[in-house]
Amino acid sequence: AAGVIQSPRHLIKEKRETATLKCYPIPRHDTVYWYQQGPGQDPQFLISFYEKMQSDKGSIPDRFSAQQFSDYHSELNMSSLELGDSALYFCASSPRQGTEQYFGPGTRLTVT
Amino acid sequence: KNQVEQSPQSLIILEGKNCTLQCNYTVSPFSNLRWYKQDTGRGPVSLTIMTFSENTKSNGRYTATLDADTKQSSLHITASQLSDSASYICVVSADTGFQKLVFGTGTRLLVSP
């Protein structure tokens, strides 16, 4: 069965650079969620999209932005990267709001 | 404040033994409770999802219980295997229109041979 795809799997950036993370939800899933998980911490909800519109917003810094495209894939854009942005970034998708979320493998971002 | 607390923080058991992980939550309004298994550096994988009216749900060797009155849940693992070594995360969903997940900090389980 198809799962959530995230790319890249690993990314190394320097401080003040920008990064773009991509998420391809499971086919026919219209809702996408982004989470940030720091070392030894639980995942923190960043933002979610439903039918290409932002549906909920969590602890996403102003330096980050995200969008969902017509094919339902989503991109998380991160600018002015800081050392503290080093984390695992998970994307999850669900077939509709309020249902089971299926997580992708994550993108490990390292900011040096 | 919405919170999910898990115990123990870490646990070591011998292969073949059973174990029980605990989860207490103060999330309102409650929608559902999920248990996830997360291998290091990997995305969480759903084991069970339980709504308010469900008391127990099984998935193979994993059995989750939910007491909505006391706001407690447990995950029982039977006949543990080495591959069960992972973090087990209790996640409670708050029904705020759009589901918002509140994650516990997890229990790190190590199954030793």
Side-chain angles (χ1 to χ4, degrees), chain B residues 19-24 33 35 48 50 55-57 62-67 72-77 90:
Chain B
C19 67
T20 301
L21 314 180
Q22 301 290 343
C23 172
N24 298 328
L33 184 146
W35 282 94
T48 64
M50 300 171 70
N55 300 120
T56 184
K57 182 167 281 190
Y62 301 102
T63 299
T65 65
L66 174 64
D67 186 334
Q72 295 179 327
S73 176
S74 67
L75 179 69
H76 187 74
I77 304 175
C90 175

Side-chain angles (χ1 to χ4, degrees), chain B residues 6-107:
Chain B
Q6 292 186 241
S7 62
Q9 283 190 342
S10 60
L11 183 63
I12 302 175
I13 62 173
L14 291 175
E15 185 179 11
K17 297 295 186 182
N18 305 334
C19 67
T20 301
L21 314 180
Q22 301 290 343
C23 172
N24 298 328
Y25 63 91
T26 57
V27 176
S28 179
F30 176 86
S31 178
N32 56 62
L33 184 146
R34 312 147 191 244
W35 282 94
Y36 284 92
K37 177 185 178 185
Q38 184 177 25
D39 293 309
T40 302
R42 308 286 294 274
V45 175
S46 179
L47 296 175
T48 64
I49 178 170
M50 300 171 70
T51 59
F52 183 88
S53 59
E54 295 177 291
N55 300 120
T56 184
K57 182 167 281 190
S58 293
N59 177 4
R61 295 180 296 102
Y62 301 102
T63 299
T65 65
L66 174 64
D67 186 334
D69 291 330
T70 61
K71 299 186 177 180
Q72 295 179 327
S73 176
S74 67
L75 179 69
H76 187 74
I77 304 175
T78 305
S80 61
Q81 300 176 359
L82 298 179
S83 60
D84 292 332
S85 297
S87 287
Y88 291 83
I89 306 174
C90 175
V91 183
V92 181
S93 178
D95 188 2
T96 59
F98 297 93
Q99 287 225 341
K100 186 171 294 184
L101 304 186
V102 182
F103 286 75
T105 51
T107 292

Side-chain angles (χ1 to χ4, degrees), chain A residues 1 22 28 32 48-49 55 64 75 91 96 98 104 111:
Chain A
K22 297 184 179 182
R28 292 181 293 282
V32 170
S48 63
F49 292 88
S55 57
F64 294 5
E75 295 184 3
C91 169
R96 60 185 184 279
V111 181

